[in-house]
Amino acid sequence: NKECFLVIWNQLSERYKDYPRKLIFELLNEPQNNLEGEVWNEYLAEGIDVIRKNDKSRKIIVGPDHYNSVDRLYNLKVPRDKNLIVTFHYYEPYDFTFQGNECYEGYRRKLGVKWNGTEEELLVIKNKFEIAKKWSKANKIGIFLGEFGADKKAEGTDRKRWIGAVRKRADKDYFAWGYRELCSDFGIYDNEAKQWDNDVLSQLIPN
């Protein structure tokens, strides 16, 4: 599907080239399976090249393979371009954040998994983010924590604690971030009741 991928980006970048700069492109969310290693590096380089023929300076988000895994940043190769942003996604430990979720077969029956915010648990977050921090410094490219979140089936206090810990770490490391997501399994808003989950929201946007 490489030809299709490049044609899509040619069409999109041509269509939106005169839009305000606040519109940002993301080349592909969570490349995986057949799009790993040098294959993904090849696709992203050609995709960026196609966009730049139509739009020289718009911000473009790219991320490592294996679902934008921070552990795969070492394999990511990006062209020299001052308007790139690199993203990674963070959900560790998966047994906690994905517990009880029907969309992920391996986690459907996992319930009651705790996350206590111990020094050891916090150190895991710090060490993983350090990978991105070092990569950013070495490559002089800003980092966007493009996804993080925990399923609402996780115990409320633990869920709030984990979300707050990840957000605080991202802020401390000067990463931009985006929470996943608004009003579904990982959400912070009840679309039927038209109410925010203020306990969780306070962890993302503290007073």
Side-chain angles (χ1 to χ4, degrees):
N1 296 308
K2 183 178 181 181
E3 182 180 354
C4 180
F5 171 74
L6 296 176
V7 167
I8 286 171
W9 274 114
N10 185 51
Q11 291 175 343
L12 288 172
S13 57
E14 173 64 29
R15 180 182 178 91
Y16 293 108
K17 64 184 179 182
D18 295 322
Y19 270 58
R21 295 292 98 183
K22 65 182 179 181
L23 174 65
I24 297 174
F25 294 151
E26 181 168 9
L27 203 60
L28 184 68
N29 182 58
E30 296 192 341
Q32 59 194 264
N33 299 329
N34 291 333
L35 279 180
E36 293 200 346
E38 290 308 308
V39 175
W40 172 232
N41 287 328
E42 176 185 318
Y43 269 58
L44 74 84
E46 293 188 33
I48 292 169
D49 186 56
V50 165
I51 292 170
R52 289 296 179 236
K53 288 176 182 176
N54 295 319
D55 193 325
K56 302 296 184 186
S57 60
R58 188 170 304 280
K59 297 288 186 182
I60 302 173
I61 296 171
V62 295
D65 60 17
H66 200 64
Y67 302 88
N68 290 152
S69 169
V70 69
D71 294 308
R72 295 288 293 172
L73 274 172
Y74 75 90
N75 195 62
L76 181 69
K77 297 177 183 176
V78 295
R80 288 184 176 273
D81 188 317
K82 65 181 181 180
N83 288 305
L84 294 184
I85 300 167
V86 163
T87 189
F88 73 97
H89 295 175
Y90 189 76
Y91 293 100
E92 297 181 38
Y94 297 97
D95 283 356
F96 173 74
T97 58
F98 285 94
Q99 62 181 294
N101 194 290
E102 293 295 322
C103 295
Y104 301 91
E105 188 174 351
Y107 303 100
R108 290 174 186 171
R109 294 179 179 83
K110 287 184 180 291
L111 289 168
V113 182
K114 304 290 290 179
W115 196 85
N116 298 306
T118 64
E119 287 188 17
E120 184 178 0
E121 289 171 326
L122 291 170
L123 187 60
V124 172
I125 300 173
K126 180 182 178 182
N127 288 342
K128 289 292 184 176
F129 280 37
E130 191 68 23
I131 296 170
K133 192 175 176 182
K134 288 180 178 178
W135 191 95
S136 175
K137 185 176 181 180
N139 292 275
K140 297 181 174 59
I141 298 176
I143 296 291
F144 172 46
L145 173 58
E147 288 185 21
F148 70 102
D151 194 286
K152 288 185 283 190
K153 291 186 178 69
E155 195 277 323
T157 301
D158 288 1
R159 179 173 181 252
K160 182 175 73 172
R161 185 185 291 124
W162 183 90
I163 290 168
V166 174
R167 191 274 304 164
K168 289 171 187 174
R169 188 75 243 173
D171 285 351
K172 189 166 186 175
D173 289 338
Y174 298 99
F175 299 164
W177 55 262
Y179 181 78
R180 178 198 176 195
E181 32 61 23
L182 181 64
C183 56
S184 189
D185 294 334
F186 289 66
I188 55 175
Y189 184 76
D190 186 328
N191 201 35
E192 293 183 4
K194 307 300 180 187
Q195 291 180 340
W196 292 97
D197 183 335
N198 287 315
D199 285 342
V200 174
L201 192 62
S202 68
Q203 297 300 312
L204 297 171
I205 309 174
N207 293 328

